[in-house]
Amino acid sequence: MESIFEILNKNDFNRCNIVTLLKSKSDESKLILDKARAVKLANVGSKVYYRGLIEFSNICLKDCYYCGIRRSNKNTNRYEIDADNILKAAKFAHENRYASIVLQAGERTDNVFVEKVNKLLKEIKKISNGELGITISLGEQSEEVFKRWFDSGAHRFLLRIETSNRELYSKIHPNNNIHNFDKRLEMLQSLQNIGYQTGTGVMVGLPFQTYEDLADDLLYFKKFNIDMVGMGPYIEHTETPLYQHRQKLLPAKERFNLTIKMNAILRIMMKDINIAAATALQSIDPLGREKALKFGANVIMPNITPTIHRKEYQLYENKPCIDEGADDCMGCLEARIGLAGDTVAYGEWGDSKHFFERQKKK
Ligand code: SAH
Ligand code: SF4
């Protein structure tokens, strides 16, 4: 079997190589993390780009088995932030030179919702003189809606495939028309075709997930030619069906380490993409996101959702920062990023370099 050292000297990793890297123990893992840091510095530098995250509603028509705001969870207060308060949060981001925001919510496809988002996109562009970049993370929509939102000013879209293993997908979702693996992949393709900078991701440490599945996830991102990736640890939530499988999980710390390694290996495999340090990392380790930044990630999504709603947007339990206001987090986040050896790129969009390379080759 090839050693970690030999694998890291190759130009391309196959499935078996990635599994070996993922299974490596601490000293060897350090080689992977150091290489990821070097690849990151050489290709995307030490700048970290902010995307102010606005979680504007926890109303969701879907029933994903892992998620705390799934439709069937009756023990959650549903909320939807009105347009004025969303615009206020966007203004906060603009005034503090965040350069970009992410609009995220549970999934809805009704006209009222689609129109609200459409209007918001135009307003946000207007109040920021076109300076705020907008990423959308609002689940599956028709191609027409994707296109309309693109034309109204959104230029990046995040749609995690959650896992590249069809069978695993069917174990963590209901099996019906609105939770369909093939449809999810088709949607990602359609986002790329429309011209979005396209982002996806998976959860790491799901029950039933194998090292081979995780290797396939990374190979899928590469094959798809993805521009942006966010990968966070799966964190159990008591009010969800997957909770019954909690005995099958790796301990939280191991899920955390595996996620850091997944991010690091991906950086080595895809040198010029944007990788977001997932918020869920911070639920396991207070410095979790900064560790991901150190070893490959280059984007972070500070939460700027109005504080009163944060406790209701609990996709998973132990969600960080739910008592803090946007401003409380700012100084300390910048300092922690500094400690990780990186600097915040205020006022810069920090678009995925890979996206532009992909456009050139078209
Ligand atoms: N409704 C949209 C956006 C919000 S959910 C969508 O599903 O695309 C955003 C992400 O949160 C999901 O893609 C999923 O990967 C993550 N998530 C949900 N439940 C989680 C859990 N229990 N642990 C970790 N991540 C979770
Ligand atoms: Fe809804 Fe997204 Fe949660 Fe699934 S993961 S239940 S689509 S919010």
Side-chain angles (χ1 to χ4, degrees), residues 60-64 66-71 105-107 139 162 173 179 184 313 315:
C60 187
L61 57 85
K62 290 176 80 168
D63 236 348
C64 308
Y66 41 85
C67 178
I69 64 168
R70 62 195 296 269
R71 180 187 193 147
E107 189 171 311
E162 317 299 357
H173 296 97
H179 303 83
R184 192 90 177 165
Y313 195 84
L315 308 177

Side-chain angles (χ1 to χ4, degrees), residues 207 234 236 242-250 255:
Y234 161 67
E236 61 274 35
L242 270 201
Y243 192 67
Q244 63 184 301
H245 299 295
R246 64 193 176 282
Q247 275 90 2
K248 296 189 182 75
L249 300 175
L250 289 172
R255 268 177 271 160

